[in-house]
Amino acid sequence: MDAQSRGRADDIDPADQWVLNPQTGNYELRLDHSAGESPVAARTATGADSGHRGDARIGSQRDGSASEDAGLREGAGLQKDSGRREDSGRREVPGQRSRRAGQGGGRGADASAAGGAGRRKRKAPKARRKKALMWTGGVTAFVVVAAGVGAYILYERFNGNISTIDIGDAGNKDVLSEGPMNILIIGTDKRTGKGNEGYGDKGSEGHADTNILFHVSEDRTNATALSIPRDLMTDIPDCETKQPDGSTKTIPGTPGVRFNVSLGQEGRNPGCTMQTVEAITGIKPDHFMMVDFNAVKELTTAVGGVKVCMAKPVDDPKSHLKLPAGESVVAGEDALALLRTRHSFGNESDLDRIKVQQQFLGSMIREMKSSDTLTNPTKLFKLADAATNALTVDQGIGSAKKLMTLAQEIGKVDTKNITFVTLPVIDNPAETVKATVVPHPTQAEQLFAMMRSDTSLTEVKQKEKAAKSAQAALLKGPKAAPADVRVDVLNGGEISGAAGATVTWLQNQQGVLKSTNKANAPEKIGKTTLEYAPNQADQARALAEMMGLPAAAMKPGSSDAGELEAMVLTLGADFKGAGIPITGPAKAPEGIEKASADKAVCAK
């Protein structure tokens, strides 16, 4: 399908090594395979020959990407000679200077042949090696949130590895968004790669088999990874997809089907899965990352294996997985078998398999951030190559530079504040033989509301921080009586008739008789707002309490209002219905199982 594209830069050999340059103190990529020589020594031997300058070209220059390549070097902390001008269309191994025979400045052929004698050695910056890894959304086929990609070695090779799909307006065109970030991780059961014939459906275009909505908080202090069961019964909405000829085709929605058919079936692309997630949760994903079976093998092998723990021995004849009780390290075929196994855990359901996947992912994240990975250039190279080869993403993050930018944001989250949770469900009451599930009637919406209001599931001390802020203080103080509250209500959200329904609820249920329906707002907005004058603060606090408005919704003016002037309440996309609080609960609903990325748990 032309909407998908994969470029490869094949002029770099994966066997090339990152070696230490004794003159600069930095690791550099050796492309000439000169055994026992540093890159500088190898280049010096040929430096006097103007036709063999030892140019190290990484990847091929495409689409005028020189500026992006320069940005990658700067972001990765690689040296760049500020006092010399680079030849047009020519890239060198980072951290090395060219020796140009016959040029002025006392650097002729003799100086080149002498190996740069007399040149002052640079001191290696202390922080450079520590910044080698900017962990990002390199993903596995089924557990893929924020695995590692080394910014240290993000060059056009990796840029060319990445596949992209045009999802139109389903996501965010920009890499980052104001406020929280939401990334949908999709693991498909498409059987690509040798040895994967025993998994998934033969000839399938790939289902949305494993799905994680990764929510990163606005202040980047915490993240919630919400697993969505593949067997969840839901309504798939209409969605637009890009066709090979560039045209747009609308694929009709389907009510009452499994969630996993939101991808691949009927020509649906990841944009359709994103819209299905939004319809279920009320949370719009900004981006997606998608991988298949082969990615599990490649990534786990590249990282050197992932440590797992079994509460009891596992011998599964269907997946051919054999693991002893206690800790093991799995990679390649064993890693894929573990993530596909369900008959060896719990009640053999997909929900128990999700728990194993979450535990595996937590272990993988810990491995990504370990010193063994951060300080190993060879491992970083292999991991970056495998991760970018495994990824299919939307065009908003469809380059190495964009992924690095996203990585820097995700990397701000402490591992201990990444919480895994599964969408609360119950057995489908419409079935005699229980094969599918539906959202829990109360817990699911409570959890979605917490994520929509950016409330952490971890013990991040946000309440103390919020109590000290001026914005939070707007909710504290005396409140007016309902009969004294005067407000105009506008609908800037997605629910038709929301303003009228809210006014009816305010008047009949809350006693706010001076409320008026002002119909639709001039434009759609994401979050509900309440605009009021300083002398209406008591009315605003009263209405905020009734509506469950967060402090961020409060928009005080600078001058007092007239006696009959009303406040303005504009309902946003976060409004879910009259009487439903805009903010979610302060704590997760009772009975919801949570797991932290920093804690190892043995699968049962």
Side-chain angles (χ1 to χ4, degrees), residues 40-58:
V40 172
R43 281 166 30 104
T44 300
T46 58
D49 185 351
S50 60
H52 299 81
R53 295 191 180 101
D55 295 8
R57 302 188 179 183
I58 300 179

Side-chain angles (χ1 to χ4, degrees), residues 480-485 487 501-515 542-548 578-580:
D484 295 329
V485 173
V487 61
T502 298
V503 168
T504 299
W505 176 77
L506 286 171
Q507 292 180 349
N508 295 339
Q509 303 296 323
Q510 302 298 314
V512 183
L513 301 179
K514 298 173 184 176
S515 52
L543 185 63
E545 184 176 61
M546 298 175 198
M547 296 286 299
I580 299 176

Side-chain angles (χ1 to χ4, degrees), residues 356-412:
V356 176
Q357 293 170 356
Q358 292 174 345
Q359 292 161 11
F360 179 92
L361 180 54
S363 180
M364 192 166 188
I365 290 175
R366 294 192 295 273
E367 178 64 29
M368 295 303 103
K369 301 192 78 174
S370 70
S371 59
D372 288 344
T373 300
L374 292 173
T375 59
N376 189 325
T378 301
K379 182 181 286 189
L380 289 176
F381 182 90
K382 293 179 180 178
L383 180 59
D385 198 36
T388 50
N389 261 312
L391 282 171
T392 299
V393 300
D394 60 280
Q395 293 179 336
I397 53 174
S399 73
K401 182 179 180 181
K402 292 176 179 179
L403 279 175
M404 188 176 72
T405 300
L406 183 65
Q408 291 170 330
E409 288 297 294
I410 296 175
K412 296 176 182 177

Side-chain angles (χ1 to χ4, degrees), residues 27-299:
Y27 283 97
E28 297 169 355
L29 185 63
R30 181 178 68 199
L31 301 179
D32 55 9
H33 307 287
S34 299
E37 295 182 314
S38 73
V40 172
R43 281 166 30 104
T44 300
T46 58
D49 185 351
S50 60
H52 299 81
R53 295 191 180 101
D55 295 8
R57 302 188 179 183
I58 300 179
S60 57
Q61 192 170 12
R62 23 180 227 120
D63 302 329
S65 61
S67 61
E68 178 173 302
D69 189 58
L72 288 174
R73 295 181 185 185
E74 181 179 358
L78 297 173
Q79 295 181 7
K80 184 176 179 181
D81 225 349
S82 59
R84 297 176 67 97
R85 181 182 308 161
E86 295 186 13
D87 290 346
S88 175
R90 179 173 176 270
R91 295 191 183 90
E92 298 181 333
V93 173
Q96 302 182 25
R97 297 190 182 194
S98 64
R99 298 175 174 84
R100 302 176 186 175
Q103 288 189 354
R107 298 186 185 276
D110 292 341
S112 177
R119 182 184 307 141
R120 183 176 62 187
K121 294 183 180 180
R122 296 194 190 106
K123 293 182 179 180
K126 294 180 180 179
R128 189 155 293 159
R129 296 174 197 171
K130 293 181 180 179
K131 291 183 179 179
L133 181 74
M134 307 297 282
W135 64 289
T136 186
V139 288
T140 66
F142 299 101
V143 283
V144 283
V145 179
V149 171
Y152 186 67
I153 47 178
L154 277 174
Y155 288 96
E156 283 195 7
R157 173 187 179 89
F158 309 117
N159 193 57
N161 285 348
I162 303 168
S163 295
T164 63
I165 295 178
D166 186 350
I167 56 174
D169 296 329
N172 192 338
K173 302 298 183 183
D174 300 321
V175 178
L176 305 180
S177 57
E178 293 184 5
M181 293 192 307
N182 296 289
I183 304 166
L184 180 62
I185 312 300
I186 306 172
T188 80
D189 58 355
K190 190 171 183 178
R191 303 192 306 184
T192 61
K194 184 178 179 180
N196 296 324
E197 296 82 4
Y199 303 102
D201 296 332
K202 185 176 180 179
S204 170
E205 289 297 318
H207 300 79
D209 201 61
T210 295
N211 310 274
I212 299 174
L213 180 60
F214 191 55
H215 171 89
V216 182
S217 68
E218 182 173 6
D219 62 7
R220 309 307 189 235
T221 63
N222 63 92
T224 299
L226 174 70
S227 293
I228 301 174
R230 66 176 190 178
D231 294 329
L232 180 75
M233 295 298 287
T234 189
D235 297 335
I236 299 177
D238 296 349
C239 63
E240 293 184 348
T241 59
K242 292 290 185 178
Q243 301 302 299
D245 61 0
S247 64
T248 299
K249 177 182 178 181
T250 299
I251 300 178
T254 308
V257 292
R258 280 180 167 87
F259 178 90
N260 67 348
V261 300
S262 63
L263 175 72
Q265 319 311 304
E266 310 296 333
R268 297 186 178 103
N269 67 17
C272 299
T273 308
M274 294 169 72
Q275 292 178 58
T276 304
V277 169
E278 183 179 4
I280 294 170
T281 66
I283 301 167
K284 182 176 181 178
D286 296 298
H287 304 289
F288 81 86
M289 293 179 177
M290 181 173 68
V291 289
D292 55 31
F293 284 166
N294 221 43
V296 177
K297 297 181 180 181
E298 293 176 358
L299 283 167

Side-chain angles (χ1 to χ4, degrees), residues 419-466:
T419 304
F420 296 103
V421 65
T422 302
L423 191 158
V425 296
I426 60 173
D427 289 335
N428 187 352
E431 294 177 335
T432 301
V433 177
K434 304 303 181 184
T436 62
V437 294
V438 296
H440 190 284
T442 58
Q443 293 180 349
E445 179 53 38
Q446 289 176 331
L447 182 58
F448 301 156
M450 288 188 71
M451 295 177 67
R452 290 194 298 263
S453 63
D454 204 23
T455 302
S456 174
L457 295 182
T458 65
E459 296 300 321
V460 179
K461 295 183 179 180
Q462 293 178 318
K463 292 182 180 180
E464 288 79 0
K465 290 164 53 180

Side-chain angles (χ1 to χ4, degrees), residues 408-419:
Q408 291 170 330
E409 288 297 294
I410 296 175
K412 296 176 182 177
V413 183
D414 193 313
T415 307
K416 68 180 181 181
N417 292 331
I418 299 175
T419 304

